[in-house]
């Protein structure tokens, strides 16, 4: 039982750190957090929004996937998301308290909420694969509540 509880606590800490990364205003601190969370060469795969998938299908792509690989691309991806969703001060991200770990995979939900009242306006599911050091090698993101 203790092992299960510590695994759940560890999974939730990872989820909380992950969500905090996307809200970090300082570029240097974001880069450090990326290097602590992801393994070198780690990849973030985003299941695109419906509009992007439909546009891709129209031009012949059956299953579009958005990908950021390595620290520089991850840093750019997180910075753009921060600029688009968080920098205005209207929204923030938080992990849901549902993280669970199964061997080297952690699954958790996240929400984009209004700063004013904490009301969810978006969110999704995350599946991350960890290396032996507990750093993310592959991050599968599925936006949508």
């Amino acid at each position: 039982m203790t092992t299960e509880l510590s695994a759940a606590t560890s999974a939730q800490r990872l989820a909380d750190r992950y969500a905090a990364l996307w809200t970090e205003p300082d570029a240097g601190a974001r880069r450090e957090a990326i290097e602590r969370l992801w393994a070198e060469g780690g990849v973030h795969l985003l299941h695109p929004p419906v509009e992007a998938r439909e546009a891709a299908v129209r031009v012949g792509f059956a299953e579009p996937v958005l990908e950021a690989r390595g620290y520089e691309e991850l840093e750019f991806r997180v910075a753009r998301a921060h600029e688009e969703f968080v920098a205005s001060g209207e929204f923030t991200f938080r992990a849901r308290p549902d993280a669970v770990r199964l061997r080297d995979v952690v699954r958790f939900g996240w929400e984009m909420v209004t700063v004013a009242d904490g009301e969810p306006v978006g969110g999704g599911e995350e599946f991350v694969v960890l290396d032996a050091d507990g750093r993310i090698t592959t991050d599968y993101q599925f936006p949508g509540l």
Side-chain angles (χ1 to χ4, degrees):
M1 181 68 128
T2 304
T3 304
E4 287 179 28
L5 288 176
S6 62
T9 301
S10 175
Q12 191 61 51
R13 274 198 307 267
L14 175 77
D16 292 339
R17 287 175 39 226
Y18 183 95
L21 164 67
W22 300 83
T23 66
E24 174 56 56
D26 180 79
R30 275 197 306 264
R31 174 60 184 236
E32 289 175 12
I34 287 167
E35 291 180 10
R36 283 192 306 273
L37 279 168
W38 270 274
E40 191 171 346
V43 64
H44 169 78
L45 300 163
L46 171 67
H47 187 247
V50 172
E51 305 83 30
R53 292 194 311 266
E54 290 172 349
V57 168
R58 282 194 298 276
V59 295
F61 291 95
E63 290 191 47
V65 175
L66 303 178
E67 179 178 322
R69 182 178 298 275
Y71 293 146
E72 285 72 32
E73 290 182 15
L74 289 164
E75 185 176 9
F76 183 76
R77 164 77 175 112
V78 174
R80 289 293 301 132
H82 184 273
E83 289 168 15
E84 184 173 348
F85 301 111
V86 178
S88 71
E90 187 177 354
F91 302 108
T92 191
F93 292 106
R94 68 181 178 207
R96 292 187 200 124
D98 63 355
V100 62
R101 182 172 181 167
L102 179 60
R103 294 194 178 170
D104 62 346
V105 176
V106 176
R107 182 205 44 86
F108 61 92
W110 54 270
E111 298 173 318
M112 184 171 82
V113 299
T114 59
V115 170
D117 61 10
E119 196 62 34
V121 294
E125 290 289 319
E126 214 74 27
F127 294 84
V128 297
V129 180
L130 306 176
D131 67 10
D133 295 323
R135 291 169 50 203
I136 299 168
T137 59
T138 310
D139 169 10
Y140 298 95
Q141 186 175 79
F142 298 88
L145 284 175

